[in-house]
Amino acid sequence: KAGVTQTPRYLIKTRGQQVTLSCSPISGHRSVSWYQQTPGQGLQFLFEYFSETQRNKGNFPGRFSGRQFSNSRSEMNVSTLELGDSALYLCASSSSGSSYEQYFGPGTRLTVT
Amino acid sequence: AQSVTQLGSHVSVSEGALVLLRCNYSSSVPPYLFWYVQYPNQGLQLLLKYTSAATLVKGINGFEAEFKKSETSFHLTKPSAHMSDAAEYFCAVTDRGSTLGRLYFGRGTQLTVWP
């Protein structure tokens, strides 16, 4: 099976712009979670989608949003970018509502200038 | 909320030496526990997981971890380090309940292996 894929791998944006990141889970996986990784804060949970519904949400401002499509692919959007949004954004998928291990994609490196 | 503590942000060992990376969690109910490895400019790779009554868990690349409820620990070990083990290692935990789908991570331990 193909692994989790994320596009784009690298992105440079300017403060105030918005950005959309994409994640394709492993085939058959219905849960997709998003994490932000920074040197200062480590790995922080953004949100999780299961069957097109947001099931869990982390402690991030409303500028961070996401959605999941019927084929389980997910996107996350960050509006009004700030310098502090520069990070590695990781997407992870898991097989079902009762499966706990998550499989991660390679991440999208976002740089905000 | 769950929390995970990884003691030692940096660990250095010689090639062939024992690797011991420490992880403690905070939960009154045994959660599900995981170890992930991250190589530079890559995502996280699952090394092993604890989700059942088997307290000694074997993973990939010769790693294993032992779940000790009395110590709320899940330390990662490997008998003999290899140069290719140099990477950052993350311990993670998830509840069995309402926060399903959310992993809580430790701050990571950077493992350096000297020749």
Side-chain angles (χ1 to χ4, degrees):
Chain A
K1 274 186 181 178
V4 178
T5 58
Q6 292 187 245
T7 55
R9 290 292 312 278
Y10 302 92
L11 206 50
I12 300 175
K13 289 287 189 179
T14 303
R15 222 171 8 170
Q17 290 185 314
Q18 75 165 15
V19 66
T20 299
L21 311 181
S22 181
C23 171
S24 292
I26 291 170
S27 179
H29 284 195
R30 296 167 61 193
S31 171
V32 173
S33 299
W34 288 89
Y35 296 85
Q36 182 196 65
Q37 185 178 26
T38 60
Q41 299 299 317
L43 282 152
Q44 293 187 287
F45 173 78
L46 281 154
F47 29 65
E48 184 242 358
Y49 286 85
F50 179 77
S51 293
E52 303 179 65
T53 300
Q54 187 182 85
R55 190 165 59 173
N56 285 298
K57 188 177 187 305
N59 189 26
F60 276 81
R63 300 185 297 107
F64 292 81
S65 62
R67 60 178 175 169
Q68 187 180 33
F69 301 95
S70 58
N71 62 358
S72 294
R73 190 177 69 85
S74 178
E75 290 181 346
M76 68 163 282
N77 183 276
V78 188
S79 63
T80 320
L81 284 165
E82 301 177 359
L83 295 178
D85 297 334
S86 294
L88 180 66
Y89 289 88
L90 293 163
C91 163
S93 74
S94 61
S95 61
S96 72
S98 61
S99 176
Y100 300 92
E101 68 262 31
Q102 296 182 13
Y103 297 90
F104 284 79
T108 294
R109 173 75 62 185
L110 172 65
T111 302
V112 182
T113 62
Chain B
Q2 293 276 3
S3 69
V4 177
T5 302
Q6 291 184 240
L7 289 176
S9 58
H10 290 85
V11 169
S12 294
V13 300
S14 299
E15 194 171 20
L18 171 72
V19 175
L20 171 60
L21 305 182
R22 300 178 187 273
C23 172
N24 289 87
Y25 64 91
S26 67
S27 175
S28 57
V29 176
Y32 292 132
L33 294 151
F34 309 88
W35 275 99
Y36 285 88
V37 61
Q38 186 176 35
Y39 298 97
N41 299 315
Q42 293 187 26
L44 303 176
Q45 182 183 8
L46 180 64
L47 275 178
L48 49 78
K49 63 183 180 184
Y50 167 77
T51 59
S52 68
T55 57
L56 184 61
V57 181
K58 294 188 184 299
I60 62 172
N61 302 338
F63 284 93
E64 61 182 38
E66 186 172 9
F67 172 72
K68 291 187 177 180
K69 181 180 176 181
S70 61
E71 299 177 8
T72 59
S73 69
F74 190 57
H75 302 329
L76 182 70
T77 60
K78 182 173 181 178
S80 177
H82 192 272
M83 297 291 289
S84 61
D85 295 328
E88 189 155 24
Y89 292 79
F90 292 93
C91 182
V93 63
T94 189
D95 283 326
R96 300 181 185 222
S98 62
T99 58
L100 185 66
R102 174 176 187 164
L103 289 173
Y104 297 85
F105 285 90
R107 293 307 301 267
T109 298
Q110 183 68 48
L111 175 66
T112 300
V113 182
W114 300 101

